[in-house]
Every structure is written in C-alpha cells, then in structure tokens.
Amino acid sequence: MAEAPVRRPPAPSRRALAAPLGVLGAVSAAAAVVAFLDPHEPGHYPTCPSLALTGFYCPGCGGLRMAHSLLHGDVPAAFGMNPLVMLLLPVAAYLWARWTVSAARGVPMRSVLIRPPVLYGFLGVLVLYGIVRNMPFAQVLAP
C-alpha cells in the first residue's frame, strides 16, 4: 500500500516577504527620524491637525513625543505622552511578526485580533480614549 505524499506549504517567494519587510523598513526609517529630530522642540513637525482645528487632543496626540522618549530609553516619559499607544505597541509588534511568519510560510495571515468585532471594539476604545483624555478629570491622559 503506497503512502500518501506529504503536502508541504508552497515555498515563499521574495515578493511575499516584500510587504512585511517594507513595513519594517518604513517604520525603522520613521523611528530614526523621530530619534534624531526631537518632537519636544517646536518647529520640527507640524501640529496635529485635530488639535489645531478643534483644540482637542486626538487619540494619537503625543505619539511622536512618546516614540522619541521610548527610543531614548525613557519609558515612564513615553508612557506619560500617550499611554494607549504605548500599550498597543506590543500588539502591533505581535501582528507584524505573525504577518511576517505567515508570509514566510506562504499562508494567509489570520488572527483573532483582526476580526470585525475586535476591530469595532478597538475603534470604540479609540473614540472613548479621545473623549476621556480631553475631560478635566483625566488630565493625566493629556500629552
């Protein structure tokens, strides 16, 4: 009786890894710029459009200053600039790693974190965070 042939996943092409590696390159380049051009000093980056138009902090306000502080090893200062983004960095790193491994294996990337209910919940958290960080009692969340 002949054994069934072992099915192996298709070998990844260089093209399959181009997207995750391109994202890694773009993020690394942006991190290098933020590491060397201090966003704490005025004039290096444009003002947040949401803050300029409405006077309210958006969920991303303080993100550049957070990244700069984190890249210079000042974790408490980074957390103080934007706690939500700081807490989401490991999630983003996990999703990128999962994407890269899936691309290397030649299979589609799947994760519970990118299903519609989770994404809608995340959107709700962003909206709630954007509202709460502008309330007088939550000044600790302001950048």
Side-chain angles (χ1 to χ4, degrees):
M1 187 173 207
E3 288 187 37
V6 176
R7 298 191 98 189
R8 295 179 189 214
S13 66
R14 290 183 185 197
R15 181 173 284 180
L17 288 172
L21 294 179
V23 168
L24 178 63
V27 169
S28 297
V33 169
V34 172
F36 291 110
L37 287 176
D38 188 357
H40 294 93
E41 296 177 17
H44 287 155
Y45 300 96
T47 304
C48 170
S50 174
L51 182 62
L53 290 173
T54 66
F56 295 113
Y57 298 119
C58 74
C61 277
L64 287 176
R65 287 175 280 165
M66 180 223 54
H68 179 80
S69 296
L70 189 61
L71 290 165
H72 287 273
D74 193 352
V75 176
F79 189 79
M81 290 294 138
N82 195 321
L84 180 64
V85 173
M86 183 82 174
L87 293 173
L88 290 175
L89 286 176
V91 176
Y94 164 77
L95 288 172
W96 178 85
R98 184 136 183 179
W99 179 31
T100 304
V101 168
S102 296
R105 291 181 178 166
V107 297
M109 193 267 209
R110 299 187 200 285
S111 175
V112 172
L113 297 177
I114 56 174
R115 292 198 178 151
V118 175
L119 293 176
Y120 289 132
F122 172 69
L123 182 61
V125 167
L126 280 179
V127 169
L128 186 63
Y129 179 70
I131 293 169
V132 170
R133 79 184 311 202
N134 287 287
M135 299 286 184
F137 64 86
Q139 286 300 309
V140 70
L141 296 177

